[in-house]
């Protein structure tokens, strides 16, 4: 695989992990489907209390430290945005 | 002074709680004052900075030991325990996790040593369980922010040096550290409470209070999702142990009285209906303590389960604290209703725990949702 393919594969894996974690923690009685671009707070899939758990999950699962200036509700508001953030942090740490 | 080791802090607290706090808790409750000398001694012994890492002068205590410390102090005096909940859990632990290094270096050494006392200013007249609906506002100015608003029911605001304030800018909630000495900060004592009477509860009035940029905790907009929730996560753990503490104290009152008091020619503890209350109390206190330990272990492992474990522990221990203290009053009868015995104070203090740091009803909603996700069969 070329480096771009490896990168894509890595991002897909990150997205799958994050998607799985969000799905497992979505409000149980929701019937809506989660899409990667959905704002999980605005759609009511989770409450903002879950943001803190997302932060812990991301740091422990992907072995990254989310810097202070990344800790905003927006960065944790969709699978897509979280995946991008994690990929960027992992790339920065090599 | 240099930081104490966790075991030293715990040993000191056990002796201080038994010899100094427990005999005075009734007086603190009656006078509505936690004396400065008590706070000074707790600070000097490293209790107030128990969980702060040694880098900033704290004892670096882990979650399980901190839980035990909370029980030891809370069993002797709820108002003193509330100082740990507010200063140590809600403020110090939150800053350790979420504040910039600049804020940590600036404030944590003084908070850990107790040279300064912190308080948590979230609640307002119309923002209780719906904490995100605060109306205290901030606006940007050239080199910082200007805060305006009024906070209510803020424990230790009457004596605190530092306020962790939550404010909104058109729905964007952010957190700020505000020094008491800042022009425009005023506190107004509040009295007449059911419990926590010696916690110097006050309103905090902020009028055109200028806060420097560096005192923003986290980023703009991180106020509720990350800062308040982190604080309440820690506060809830503290309240879970507070429930164990009060229930244990009530259990000891109940058992002591039941083995001494005689009616119908026998100790009242010989009556089976009294034994039922004692048996339930023993069982519930044990169960609550184990749920708290379970939450403590999840926290120590930084497990994502820690939030729900803490919610369950807080819900259960505050519920059983209410039951056990009510039964203690019942066993003590007339003396249970009299302020010359601790039972009536414990009964009042226990009720508070079902309300603060997330009401029992909010915990039930979250726990039920956890139940559906965990236990509903998927087919």
């Amino acid at each position: 695989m070329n480096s771009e393919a490896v990168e894509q594969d890595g991002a897909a894996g990150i997205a799958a992990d994050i998607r799985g974690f969000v799905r497992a923690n979505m409000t149980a009685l929701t019937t809506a489907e989660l899409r990667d671009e959905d704002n999980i707070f605005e759609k009511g899939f989770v409450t903002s209390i879950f943001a803190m758990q997302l932060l812990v999950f991301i740091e422990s699962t992907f072995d990254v430290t989310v810097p202070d200036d990344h800790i905003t509700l927006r960065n944790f508001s969709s699978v897509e945005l979280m995946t991008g953030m994690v990929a960027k942090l992992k790339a920065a740490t090599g | 002074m240099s930081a104490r080791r966790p075991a030293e802090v715990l040993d000191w607290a056990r002796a201080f709680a038994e010899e100094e706090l427990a005999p005075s808790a009734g007086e603190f409750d009656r006078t509505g004052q936690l004396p400065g000398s008590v706070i000074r001694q707790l600070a000097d012994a490293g209790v107030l900075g128990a969980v702060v890492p040694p880098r900033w002068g704290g004892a670096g205590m882990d979650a399980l030991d901190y839980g035990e410390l909370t029980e030891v102090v809370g069993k002797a005096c709820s108002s003193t325990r509330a100082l740990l909940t507010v200063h140590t859990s809600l403020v110090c632990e939150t800053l350790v996790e979420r504040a910039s290094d600049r804020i940590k270096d600036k404030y944590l050494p003084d908070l850990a040593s107790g040279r300064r006392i912190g308080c948590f200013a979230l609640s307002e007249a119309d923002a209780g369980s719906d904490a995100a609906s605060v109306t205290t506002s901030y606006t940007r100015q050239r080199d910082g922010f200007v805060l305006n608003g009024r906070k209510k029911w803020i424990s230790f605001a009457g004596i605190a040096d530092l306020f962790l304030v939550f404010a909104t800018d058109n729905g964007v909630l952010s957190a700020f550290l505000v020094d008491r000495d800042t022009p425009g900060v005023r506190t107004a004592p509040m009295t007449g409470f059911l419990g926590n009477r010696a916690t110097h509860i006050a309103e905090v009035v902020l009028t055109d209070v200028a806060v420097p940029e560096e005192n923003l905790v986290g980023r703009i907009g991180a106020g509720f999702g990350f800062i308040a929730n982190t604080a309440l996560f820690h506060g809830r753990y503290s309240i879970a142990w507070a429930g164990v503490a009060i229930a244990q104290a009530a259990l000891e009152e109940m058992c002591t009285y039941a083995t001494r008091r005689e009616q119908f020619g026998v100790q009242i503890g010989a009556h089976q209906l009294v034994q039922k209350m004692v048996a339930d109390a023993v069982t519930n206190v044990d169960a609550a303590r184990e749920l708290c330990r379970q939450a403590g272990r999840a926290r120590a492992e930084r497990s994502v389960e820690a939030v729900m474990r803490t919610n369950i522990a807080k819900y259960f221990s505050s519920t059983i604290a209410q039951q056990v203290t009510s039964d203690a009053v019942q066993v003590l009868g007339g003396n249970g209703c009299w302020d010359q015995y601790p039972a009536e104070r414990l009964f009042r203090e226990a009720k508070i725990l079902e309300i603060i740091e997330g009401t029992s009803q909010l915990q039930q909603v979250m726990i039920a949702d956890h139940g559906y996700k965990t236990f509903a069969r998927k087919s």
Side-chain angles (χ1 to χ4, degrees):
Chain A
M1 276 199 286
N2 62 34
S3 61
E4 200 175 307
V6 170
E7 211 169 90
Q8 277 180 0
D9 191 42
I14 293 167
D17 286 345
I18 293 173
R19 199 182 301 119
F21 184 67
V22 173
R23 276 204 183 118
N25 287 280
M26 276 164 58
T27 306
L29 300 180
T30 186
T31 51
E33 275 301 309
L34 169 72
R35 292 170 306 174
D36 285 0
E37 66 275 21
D38 285 336
N39 185 315
I40 58 176
F41 303 114
E42 286 177 4
K43 290 243 173 185
F45 291 151
V46 293
T47 66
S48 62
I49 294 172
F50 185 58
M52 204 182 72
Q53 287 160 276
L54 279 169
L55 174 60
V56 173
F57 170 77
I58 281 174
E59 290 193 331
S60 59
T61 305
F62 303 111
D63 196 24
V64 293
T65 300
V66 181
D68 187 41
D69 61 357
H70 285 49
I71 301 177
T72 63
L73 215 50
R74 186 181 178 278
N75 279 345
F76 291 82
S77 62
S78 74
V79 173
E80 199 170 59
L81 286 169
M82 284 184 273
T83 303
M85 179 176 70
V86 171
K88 212 161 66 180
L89 290 172
K90 285 185 83 71
T93 55
Chain B
M1 68 179 284
S2 60
R4 303 264 189 126
R5 289 185 304 109
E8 282 180 289
V9 175
L10 253 175
D11 285 345
W12 181 89
R14 283 190 195 98
F16 186 71
E18 191 178 327
E19 294 159 17
E20 306 285 338
L21 291 179
S24 304
E27 184 192 338
F28 299 163
D29 179 66
R30 274 190 294 279
T31 59
Q33 298 281 322
L34 189 60
S37 59
V38 169
I39 297 173
R40 191 71 264 147
Q41 288 177 85
L42 292 165
D44 289 347
V47 172
L48 300 186
V51 294
V52 175
R55 176 181 166 187
W56 293 287
M61 191 175 272
D62 66 27
L64 283 170
D65 280 350
Y66 182 55
E68 190 177 340
L69 178 70
T70 305
E71 182 183 344
V72 163
V73 173
K75 185 182 150 213
C77 174
S78 286
S79 288
T80 309
R81 186 274 310 149
L83 181 61
L84 265 74
T85 302
V86 172
H87 172 91
T88 310
S89 295
L90 290 170
V91 178
C92 289
E93 288 200 281
T94 305
L95 295 185
V96 167
E97 275 187 39
R98 296 272 84 89
S100 64
D101 284 344
R102 192 170 174 173
I103 284 183
K104 290 178 193 170
D105 292 342
K106 183 177 172 185
Y107 289 109
L108 274 178
D110 277 357
L111 289 168
S113 69
R115 278 189 294 275
R116 289 210 236 188
I117 298 299
C119 72
F120 183 74
L122 174 61
S123 298
E124 296 180 3
D126 294 317
S129 292
D130 184 11
S133 67
V134 300
T135 58
T136 294
S137 68
Y138 66 90
T139 51
R140 266 204 176 277
Q141 64 172 22
R142 196 161 49 89
D143 50 358
F145 306 88
V146 174
L147 271 60
N148 278 288
R150 183 182 284 261
K151 297 292 180 179
K152 209 167 179 181
W153 305 291
I154 309 303
S155 299
F156 293 101
I159 60 165
D161 306 285
L162 202 58
F163 303 78
L164 180 53
V165 176
F166 293 82
T168 185
D169 178 12
N170 293 311
V172 179
L173 202 71
S174 301
F176 306 88
L177 273 180
V178 179
D179 279 279
R180 173 184 282 280
D181 295 340
T182 314
V185 175
R186 186 171 64 83
T187 58
M190 297 176 72
T191 56
F193 288 99
L194 178 69
N196 274 2
R197 289 178 175 174
T199 62
H200 303 270
I201 300 177
E203 281 190 273
V204 180
V205 184
L206 305 161
T207 310
D208 294 330
V209 175
V211 178
E213 177 90 34
E214 67 192 44
N215 279 27
L216 173 69
V217 182
R219 310 299 291 182
I220 288 289
F224 191 70
F226 295 98
I227 313 300
N229 278 330
T230 297
L232 292 170
F233 171 57
H234 293 304
R236 212 163 275 161
Y237 182 65
S238 178
I239 295 303
W241 280 101
V244 175
I246 290 177
Q248 176 69 38
L251 172 62
E252 291 178 18
E253 290 301 319
M254 181 194 294
C255 289
T256 303
Y257 197 83
T259 53
R260 291 180 185 169
R261 167 85 166 166
E262 289 188 9
Q263 290 289 277
F264 305 105
V266 294
Q267 295 148 303
I268 60 170
H271 297 297
Q272 290 184 338
L273 292 178
V274 172
Q275 289 171 358
K276 192 258 182 208
M277 287 188 272
V278 171
D280 285 351
V282 169
T283 307
N284 281 330
V285 171
D286 263 7
R289 188 179 288 107
E290 197 45 53
L291 282 175
C292 286
R293 286 181 179 147
Q294 202 177 74
R297 287 190 288 274
R299 297 163 74 89
E301 293 164 5
R302 287 188 63 77
S303 163
V304 292
E305 294 291 313
V307 170
M308 187 48 65
R309 292 288 120 213
T310 303
N311 291 346
I312 291 170
K314 192 270 181 185
Y315 170 53
F316 186 77
S317 78
S318 59
T319 302
I320 67 102
Q322 183 60 30
Q323 288 167 356
V324 175
T325 56
S326 174
D327 285 346
V329 169
Q330 194 70 24
V331 170
L332 268 73
N335 286 329
C337 302
W338 187 28
D339 70 2
Q340 299 305 300
Y341 286 77
E344 64 86 27
R345 173 166 44 80
L346 296 169
F347 177 65
R348 290 187 283 105
E349 300 287 14
K351 185 63 201 173
I352 306 287
L353 306 184
E354 293 187 303
I355 296 165
I356 59 174
E357 263 72 308
T359 61
S360 290
Q361 289 67 37
L362 281 178
Q363 306 308 322
Q364 286 167 326
V365 168
M366 291 188 280
I367 294 166
D369 189 61
H370 167 73
Y372 297 143
K373 284 184 289 216
T374 310
F375 302 112
R377 287 194 200 89
K378 292 157 183 82
S379 57

